[in-house]
Amino acid sequence: MKTLLYLLLLVVSICTAQTTISGTITDQTGLPIPGVNVYLEGTYDGAMTDVDGNFKFNSEESGIVILVASYIGFEPYRKESDIAALENLDIKLRESMNELNTVVLSAGSFSAGDNSKVNALKPLDVVTTAGAAGDFIGALQTLPGTTANPDDGRLFVRGGTADETQIFVDGNRVFSPYLPTTGNIPTRGRFSPFLFDGITFSTGGYSAEYGDALSSVLLLNTTDFPVEEKTEIQLMTVGVGAGHTEIWDDNSVSVNATYINLAPYNEVVPQNNQFIDPYQGASGEAVYRHKTSKGLFKAYGAFSYSDFSLNQEDINVADGFFFGLRNRNYYGNLNYSGELSESWDLQTGISLSQDHTDLDIARTSVDNAETAVHAKLKLSKRYSNYFKIHFGAEQFYIDSQEKVRFQDEPFKTNITQNNTGIYAETEVFASKDLAFKIGGRADYYDNTQSVELSPRLSAAVSLSNSTQLSAAYGVFNQQVDNAILQYDPLLETETAQHFILNFLHKKNNRMLRAEAYYKQYDNLLTFDDAMPGFDTNYTNTGDGYATGLDLFWRDEQSIKNLEYWVSYSYLDTQRLYRNFPESATPAFATDHNLSIVTKYWVDNLQSQLGFTYNYASGRPFTNANESGFLNDQTTSFQSLDFNWAYLIDDQKILYLSVSNVLGRDNVFGYQYSSTPDAQGQFDRRTIGQAADRFIFVGFFWTIGGIDNQLDNL
Amino acid sequence: MKAITTTLFLLLSIITLAQSPYEKAMTKALEQMHENPQAAAQQFERISKAEKDNWIPAYYAALSNINSSWGQYPKEQTLATMEKAQEFIDIAQSLSPKNAEIMVLQGLLNTCWITYDGSIYGMKLSGPTTALYEKAYAMAPDNPRVVSNRAQWLMGSARYFNKDVSPYCSDLDKAVALFEQEKTSGFEPQWGLEGTLKAQQDCK
């Protein structure tokens, strides 16, 4: 009884022993911060600072306590102290860094996706840009830094060939990202744009994480764990498709399949090529995802098959010649990303790709097979918001075989590569207005037993809340194309140095981006034959440069329901490479490129109408009737594309797109006769559009009751 | 006997004494939610940090931050507030998984993101939000906040597609009836009647 009373007294006495805690909270510049939450950790004792940054509260705690001051937008403050010493404190809070107030290392990069300051495109733009017809590669071609080559369809960045851009899915390299095609029929990306929710397109100066790419990298991140089960059906003028997503516990599976056949379309809409078997393709994809307590595992697999044949026109062959193509492609990757601890992140993956192409060209048959593996491990350590380190290692195995049969004479070549890369990079924020990224990578190339080092640097500084300046420098190496390497495995890597200066202004949903760059190419491959073969002499003595200015303006504020962007690129480039007799501007590089993309939402029609206008100045070509190399220019390329997406309801969408609405007869180049006529002139054939227009109508229907077709708009 | 009674009484009073700071702090924070949401959010944050096994303070800390995320503040502040709300939803969810009340909060926070930038988050979050409300509804069809917020979300979608909102009016009526019957103990969630009555005006 006595003990209890004593206990009670003790409780009461503790209750009455009050200490006052007080002080002032200011930011780094000495301005008071009102509204800060100040409290003793593990207790309810605390207060909020007033307009002058002052706080005062009482506590019944005693001894050593932890004082916490936390406020949105600032780094939390913690102080361990004897409670008696917590009076008249003077606390300074450091502003924390978030997406809106922090400088971004943006030189070279465009991204589409989350809420980042440097976003040029939104995820939706990828599928709703007129002219892109649902191909994300097509949408990226409306960004500055790219050169329009609508007869090819791949990405040509800043005077680089399409092979100088590498594409990655969830960090793993994709070895054959494009559907196979033949000259003058544009290709498309192999993947469905609906698979990705983050796209970063870097036109130069990218992170040391990525190697073996001279000009550009395109990073695609697949969507994370789905939250809804659904079934989708697609009916299109060119084929059909279906998909389904199933979720159970911490697992989900999404599958989809598409069949495309252009025969009926070609019957209705005349083509400029004489198809024998019109294009047909079947593809299927499956993604399995499993959530673990600290991460996400993804397994992705895709299969595609395509074939077509046509009678290819040729100025030197009166009736043209037969061209047939059959391709099978398997691609799969396994990926895991997760937290190892509060500050350590791990990302690892392996991709396997098998590509098989059979070509029949006149009386020659070519059988091409490539097996490639890419394994990668990446670790990130976050010391604070101000200092981070990333490092990793990757291994490539590429085996490529070519069997050629010419008039029953078989001929076989093979090249195997085993290359290793390691990299490390640190991100340092001196403040929220000044940031640096310093890193480098080392690549070991097995065939030449050589190591190539590639340093990378970038820096960014805020000029004001809405403007920033950034710069990047880097050395980039890339191995010579397999088709050449199989004849000479000892060829060195080609190199490029990038120098980039970037200005970014973003305010009120308007964005202006200007970027100037200089790119120096060295060690470019050269050879002395019209067609590379075994007897050809190869060297790494070519070089070149590309310099220019890219401008981008996006505005979604000025006119209600209208979003538009304008991209302009000026490019000055010359190179001595392959079998060029002298330094010259290659045929794929045009001086001026302009894209204007508009999207207008019509409320009472539940429709989005879009127009895209593309302009590219004339392309260089060699006029055989004049002396010199790449001595002439075609007329400019121009195209006006239209699309209309109509939301019938939240589950059905009707989509119409027409490319080259005005039917302009664009010229991409000329093929000259190999022999002159009686007057000594060389006759020529125009290489023009595959079709004057392309018309696409699709109906997309999502079944499942709880899904929303907004996903697909 | 007397000694036992006294001991029990004293023990109880000590327990009550020990409990009361929580109750006192929660009551004060709840009172502040209307006139000073920021102070309330901070009070709930303090309680949540002290009550490491109780999902309710984290729930209210999230709710107070959501109430400040409807675009009434500058963009930068809204973004930070939404991130704070998500932090507390995650805490609440880890303490009480499969809780329909917390799913409603997530649904509301998703709506804040869509309000923040519809052209990005409308696409990304509208499907998942519908799925979330359906899941909550399947778990707790008689929870008035689940019934009401699900109906209000579906009405918002219908309005977007120029469709009739009246199919959801009966859900709102049902929610009002459920609110009137609702018996909550302690600090369990009990808000939502006011908003439901306001939403009902669209049905007239």
Side-chain angles (χ1 to χ4, degrees):
Chain A
M1 193 65 208
K2 238 181 190 167
T3 338
L4 271 171
L5 267 174
Y6 181 70
L7 199 67
L8 192 63
L9 273 169
L10 190 74
V11 168
V12 172
S13 73
I14 288 171
C15 286
T16 50
Q18 295 237 342
T19 314
T20 302
I21 292 143
S22 64
T24 309
I25 298 190
T26 53
D27 65 13
Q28 295 294 94
T29 64
L31 286 173
I33 315 173
V36 181
N37 193 7
V38 194
Y39 60 94
L40 298 181
E41 194 172 70
T43 75
Y44 314 131
D45 304 335
M48 189 165 89
T49 54
D50 62 17
V51 281
D52 300 317
N54 295 321
F55 66 90
K56 190 175 192 174
F57 64 91
N58 296 324
S59 174
E60 292 145 8
E61 303 289 317
S62 63
I64 302 293
V65 291
I66 296 170
L67 180 83
V68 180
S70 91
Y71 186 54
I72 287 173
F74 289 86
E75 297 272 303
Y77 169 93
R78 287 164 65 89
K79 184 188 171 84
E80 198 171 332
S81 162
D82 189 297
I83 193 158
L86 295 176
E87 226 171 335
N88 294 322
L89 295 167
D90 204 355
I91 297 170
K92 274 200 185 328
L93 291 190
R94 192 173 182 181
E95 207 169 337
S96 70
M97 308 197 288
N98 67 44
E99 294 88 334
L100 293 179
N101 75 7
T102 309
V103 68
V104 186
L105 292 155
S106 62
S109 242
F110 282 104
S111 43
D114 58 1
N115 184 51
S116 164
K117 194 146 85 170
V118 293
N119 273 348
L121 296 187
K122 299 176 181 181
L124 281 177
D125 290 330
V126 170
V127 280
T128 59
T129 294
D135 178 24
F136 59 89
I137 301 289
L140 295 173
Q141 281 163 355
T142 65
L143 292 178
T146 61
T147 307
N149 279 286
D151 53 329
D152 184 288
R154 294 179 296 165
L155 283 168
F156 289 77
V157 178
R158 291 184 171 168
T161 68
D163 295 324
E164 293 175 23
T165 298
Q166 297 287 15
I167 298 182
F168 296 81
V169 169
D170 290 330
N172 288 105
R173 175 120 134 234
V174 183
F175 294 88
S176 37
Y178 300 102
L179 289 168
T181 177
T182 178
N184 199 28
I185 298 174
T187 182
R188 292 169 65 88
R190 233 180 239 285
F191 303 103
S192 156
F194 298 112
L195 278 172
F196 308 108
D197 71 350
I199 296 178
T200 303
F201 176 40
S202 184
T203 50
Y206 33 89
S207 150
E209 186 181 340
Y210 306 101
D212 209 39
L214 277 185
S215 275
S216 163
V217 290
L218 175 60
L219 315 174
L220 306 164
N221 289 323
T222 56
T223 48
D224 278 345
F225 201 80
V227 264
E228 46 193 330
E229 295 195 338
K230 59 184 172 187
T231 302
E232 288 157 312
I233 292 171
Q234 299 153 18
L235 304 171
M236 301 165 280
T237 42
V238 295
V240 291
H244 182 71
T245 297
E246 190 79 34
I247 303 168
W248 72 99
D249 305 327
D250 289 330
N251 307 288
S252 79
V253 166
S254 303
V255 289
N256 72 65
T258 313
Y259 175 72
I260 303 281
N261 190 325
L262 284 171
Y265 179 83
N266 289 0
E267 284 295 312
V268 181
V269 182
Q271 302 289 302
N272 299 337
N273 290 296
Q274 306 159 36
F275 279 98
I276 297 162
D277 296 306
Y279 179 88
Q280 68 164 343
S283 61
E285 288 165 322
V287 197
Y288 166 75
R289 296 178 182 87
H290 176 75
K291 266 195 285 198
T292 65
S293 59
K294 293 244 163 100
L296 182 66
F297 170 80
K298 290 182 199 170
Y300 171 80
F303 164 75
S304 78
Y305 170 85
S306 49
D307 72 41
F308 66 89
S309 65
L310 52 83
N311 186 38
Q312 193 132 39
E313 266 185 73
D314 194 296
I315 188 103
N316 298 312
V317 186
D319 301 322
F321 61 87
F322 178 84
F323 181 94
L325 185 152
R326 244 188 344 268
N327 173 272
R328 296 191 303 277
N329 183 276
Y330 309 88
Y331 177 79
N333 73 36
L334 303 176
N335 243 289
Y336 175 78
S337 73
E339 284 175 12
L340 292 179
S341 72
E342 283 268 309
S343 61
W344 280 94
D345 282 333
L346 168 96
Q347 208 184 326
T348 181
I350 182 163
S351 70
L352 168 73
S353 131
Q354 269 198 313
D355 192 73
H356 204 110
T357 306
D358 293 325
L359 292 169
D360 283 300
I361 309 159
R363 272 176 300 167
T364 310
S365 79
V366 182
D367 183 348
N368 227 312
E370 184 181 272
T371 302
V373 178
H374 177 204
K376 183 168 171 176
L377 175 74
K378 176 183 165 186
L379 286 160
S380 311
K381 161 93 175 153
R382 203 182 68 98
Y383 288 92
S384 72
N385 284 342
Y386 293 86
F387 188 65
K388 288 170 201 158
I389 291 183
H390 314 276
F391 56 93
E394 57 187 341
Q395 179 69 32
F396 294 94
Y397 167 83
I398 304 164
D399 179 76
S400 153
Q401 282 186 28
E402 192 171 87
K403 279 183 230 161
V404 181
R405 276 180 97 79
F406 177 65
Q407 294 173 336
D408 283 333
E409 201 69 43
F411 192 72
K412 195 178 152 184
T413 45
N414 174 255
I415 177 81
T416 304
Q417 303 168 51
N418 255 306
N419 301 331
T420 312
I422 53 166
Y423 75 93
E425 202 159 55
T426 62
E427 253 175 79
V428 186
F429 282 82
S431 73
K432 67 181 181 49
D433 295 324
L434 182 65
F436 301 93
K437 196 147 129 182
I438 301 149
R441 63 179 286 133
D443 286 285
Y444 174 74
Y445 293 92
D446 183 50
N447 282 320
T448 48
Q449 302 198 331
S450 61
V451 175
E452 299 294 338
L453 299 174
S454 327
R456 312 276 166 95
L457 295 168
S458 62
V461 58
S462 284
L463 303 175
S464 75
N465 273 341
S466 48
T467 47
Q468 67 164 62
L469 208 58
S470 46
Y473 167 77
V475 175
F476 301 83
N477 285 283
Q478 186 171 0
Q479 197 148 41
V480 171
D481 188 6
N482 284 339
I484 306 286
L485 211 60
Q486 65 181 350
Y487 300 124
D488 185 354
L490 295 178
L491 283 166
E492 292 168 26
T493 55
E494 302 181 307
T495 66
Q497 279 182 82
H498 299 185
F499 300 86
I500 299 170
L501 192 62
N502 169 297
F503 170 83
L504 183 71
H505 173 82
K506 193 170 186 184
K507 199 173 185 182
N508 297 335
N509 300 322
R510 290 191 193 98
M511 174 176 179
L512 173 70
R513 183 183 182 278
E515 194 163 284
Y517 62 91
Y518 177 77
K519 180 157 63 172
Q520 174 72 49
Y521 285 104
D522 278 303
N523 254 24
L524 294 182
L525 170 81
T526 59
F527 52 80
D528 60 357
D529 267 346
M531 285 291 284
F534 253 121
D535 313 326
T536 312
N537 290 317
Y538 299 98
T539 63
N540 274 105
T541 53
D543 60 11
Y545 71 90
T547 185
L549 179 69
D550 294 343
L551 296 173
F552 180 77
W553 167 252
R554 180 169 183 144
D555 178 358
E556 44 197 83
Q557 173 98 5
S558 304
I559 302 165
K560 193 176 177 243
N561 290 342
L562 177 78
E563 284 183 31
Y564 70 93
W565 70 84
V566 180
S567 301
Y568 167 76
S569 312
Y570 168 72
L571 169 67
D572 169 18
T573 183
Q574 289 209 342
R575 53 165 69 194
L576 176 69
Y577 87 131
R578 298 183 70 90
N579 54 1
F580 277 30
E582 60 190 80
S583 254
T585 303
F588 57 80
T590 52
D591 296 347
H592 306 278
N593 270 274
L594 175 75
S595 298
I596 301 169
V597 179
T598 62
K599 291 159 193 234
Y600 185 67
W601 175 256
V602 188
D603 252 334
N604 46 18
L605 278 178
Q606 275 120 253
S607 292
Q608 191 192 54
L609 301 174
F611 283 97
T612 298
Y613 171 74
N614 278 301
Y615 167 89
S617 55
R619 290 213 276 183
F621 69 95
T622 305
N623 187 337
N625 292 317
E626 283 166 34
S627 65
F629 176 64
L630 291 168
N631 51 4
D632 207 346
Q633 264 191 11
T634 65
T635 53
S636 65
F637 167 83
Q638 291 178 54
S639 168
L640 181 70
D641 309 321
F642 166 73
N643 75 358
W644 177 24
Y646 171 45
L647 251 70
I648 301 169
D649 65 25
D650 54 354
Q651 297 184 341
K652 300 185 194 81
I653 189 166
L654 190 63
Y655 185 79
L656 163 76
S657 94
V658 183
S659 69
N660 199 19
V661 178
L662 305 175
R664 187 185 150 91
D665 207 0
N666 286 305
V667 174
F668 302 119
Y670 300 94
Q671 187 197 16
Y672 280 85
S673 165
S674 50
T675 47
D677 61 14
Q679 283 78 39
Q681 290 288 302
F682 292 89
D683 198 11
R684 71 180 186 183
R685 179 180 79 89
T686 306
I687 300 168
Q689 306 233 130
D692 297 339
R693 292 183 187 82
F694 189 78
I695 301 159
F696 175 90
V697 182
F699 173 70
F700 303 92
W701 186 16
T702 306
I703 311 163
I706 57 168
D707 185 40
N708 191 321
Q709 194 61 43
L710 277 175
D711 276 8
N712 289 343
L713 178 64
Chain B
M1 188 64 204
K2 197 178 161 197
I4 293 172
T5 320
T6 319
T7 316
L8 266 177
F9 174 76
L10 278 169
L11 262 175
L12 270 174
S13 60
I14 288 167
I15 289 165
T16 328
L17 213 66
Q19 269 182 343
S20 68
Y22 172 68
E23 286 177 354
K24 230 168 76 185
M26 284 295 286
T27 312
K28 190 179 155 211
L30 281 168
E31 279 165 6
Q32 279 182 314
M33 270 187 82
H34 278 288
E35 62 269 25
N36 195 346
Q38 196 191 358
Q42 296 197 349
Q43 175 90 335
F44 286 124
E45 182 177 343
R46 289 197 284 268
I47 304 168
S48 148
K49 294 268 153 82
E51 297 281 323
K52 289 201 183 316
D53 303 320
N54 186 349
W55 65 276
I56 289 177
Y59 172 92
Y60 281 106
L63 181 62
S64 316
N65 280 300
I66 288 169
N67 288 339
S68 306
S69 301
W70 295 104
Q72 68 270 47
Y73 298 115
K75 264 202 150 184
E76 200 169 310
Q77 192 183 339
T78 304
L79 185 73
T81 317
M82 289 191 296
E83 279 168 2
K84 197 105 189 169
Q86 188 63 57
E87 194 183 302
F88 285 108
I89 288 177
D90 293 343
I91 293 171
Q93 209 149 32
S94 68
L95 296 173
S96 174
K98 297 194 176 149
N99 185 327
E101 297 279 8
I102 302 170
M103 288 180 186
V104 169
L105 285 193
Q106 187 70 63
L108 287 172
L109 184 59
N110 289 357
T111 318
C112 291
W113 277 105
I114 295 169
T115 312
Y116 177 80
D117 192 340
S119 59
I120 295 178
Y121 298 101
M123 166 213 184
K124 199 169 172 173
L125 294 176
S126 51
T129 306
T130 306
L132 195 65
Y133 277 123
E134 294 304 329
K135 200 171 157 189
Y137 190 69
M139 278 166 55
D142 293 326
N143 180 313
R145 273 164 301 287
V146 171
V147 176
S148 168
N149 286 291
R150 172 181 167 273
Q152 289 181 51
W153 164 257
L154 293 173
M155 284 167 86
S157 301
R159 234 176 271 128
Y160 184 82
F161 290 103
N162 289 331
K163 283 187 170 176
D164 187 15
V165 295
S166 57
Y168 310 105
C169 291
S170 59
D171 285 335
L172 291 181
D173 299 339
K174 182 185 162 191
V176 172
L178 288 168
F179 273 119
E180 277 156 6
Q181 292 160 23
E182 188 172 40
K183 287 190 189 75
T184 49
S185 57
F187 296 108
E188 274 172 29
Q190 43 194 305
W191 57 275
L193 178 60
E194 213 177 303
T196 311
L197 292 173
K198 218 169 142 191
Q200 262 185 331
Q201 286 168 2
D202 280 0
C203 292
K204 281 161 193 161

